[in-house]
Amino acid sequence: MRLDFPELDDAKLGEMARTCACFNFRKASRSVTQLFDQVLSPSGLRSTQLVILITGKLLGPSSIARLARELVMDRSTLTRNLKPLLTMGLLQLSKPANGKHKAVELTDEGLAALAKAAPHWEQAQTHLVSQFGDERWNRLMTDLAAIVDATRTSAM
C-alpha cells in the first residue's frame, strides 16, 4: 500500500527544491568543490585539504576545536579530514607550552604543498570569479559571510 500525502504534491516539492537554502547551498557547494578538485588535482590536494592547510597556516598552531570552529566543521569530521594530511606529513600534532590540548600546525612540507597548489587554486578562482564579475562576486562573498554569521548565532 502506498501512502498519499496531498500536501506534498509536485508543485510543493518543486517550490521546496527551488527555494530551500540547504538544498541549493549544498548543490552549489558540491559543484564548486568538483571544479576546484579537478583544477587542483595536479597539486595532489583536494579542495577540502587545501582549505584546512590555508586555515592552519593563517591560525598558526591551534587546537582541533579552534580549527573546527574556524572551518565551521564538526570536530569528528575535521579529525577524519586531518588524518591524511598528518600521514602525508603536511600537518603535525604538537603539545603546546600550556600542555592542555594538542595543537595542529603546518609543517614545511605543508607549506610547500600550499605553494604548489596556489597557482591551481588561482586558476579555479579566476575562472569562477570571471563568471560573475568582481562586483557581483564581492557581494556574493559578503552575503555568504552573513549567512554563516546568521546560522551560527540563530537559536531555533
Side-chain angles (χ1 to χ4, degrees):
M1 178 176 99
R2 188 170 177 164
L3 296 176
D4 187 31
F5 295 95
E7 66 276 8
L8 291 179
D9 62 13
D10 286 350
K12 176 64 176 175
L13 291 173
E15 176 69 9
M16 289 171 68
R18 188 181 67 73
T19 63
C20 177
C22 186
F23 178 82
N24 287 288
F25 280 113
R26 284 183 172 268
K27 197 164 125 178
S29 177
R30 285 189 296 270
S31 183
V32 170
T33 298
Q34 289 168 7
L35 169 69
F36 275 77
D37 282 349
Q38 179 183 356
V39 176
L40 284 168
S41 67
S43 76
L45 291 176
R46 297 182 57 82
S47 58
T48 50
Q49 295 170 323
L50 180 65
V51 168
I52 291 170
L53 293 177
I54 290 169
T55 306
K57 173 67 174 131
L58 291 172
L59 293 179
S62 302
S63 68
I64 291 174
R66 180 169 181 220
L67 196 53
R69 273 192 313 276
E70 289 295 321
L71 292 166
V72 192
M73 291 177 82
D74 180 78
R75 280 183 56 160
S76 62
T77 302
L78 176 59
T79 299
R80 190 172 51 252
N81 283 292
L82 289 175
K83 285 181 183 177
L85 296 169
L86 291 163
T87 300
M88 291 187 285
L90 305 181
L91 293 174
Q92 66 183 11
L93 292 177
S94 60
K95 208 65 153 150
N98 66 12
K100 286 191 174 192
H101 301 286
K102 289 182 180 176
V104 177
E105 62 183 306
L106 204 66
T107 64
D108 289 343
E109 292 83 359
L111 193 55
L114 273 176
K116 182 179 178 184
H120 301 287
W121 171 87
E122 192 167 358
Q123 179 186 354
Q125 183 75 6
T126 300
H127 170 75
L128 199 51
V129 172
S130 72
Q131 301 297 306
F132 289 84
D134 289 339
E135 186 178 322
R136 187 173 170 203
W137 182 258
N138 290 333
R139 250 190 347 264
L140 178 60
M141 292 299 100
T142 299
D143 290 345
L144 288 173
I147 288 168
V148 170
D149 288 344
T151 56
R152 279 183 159 179
T153 59
S154 68
M156 299 271 317

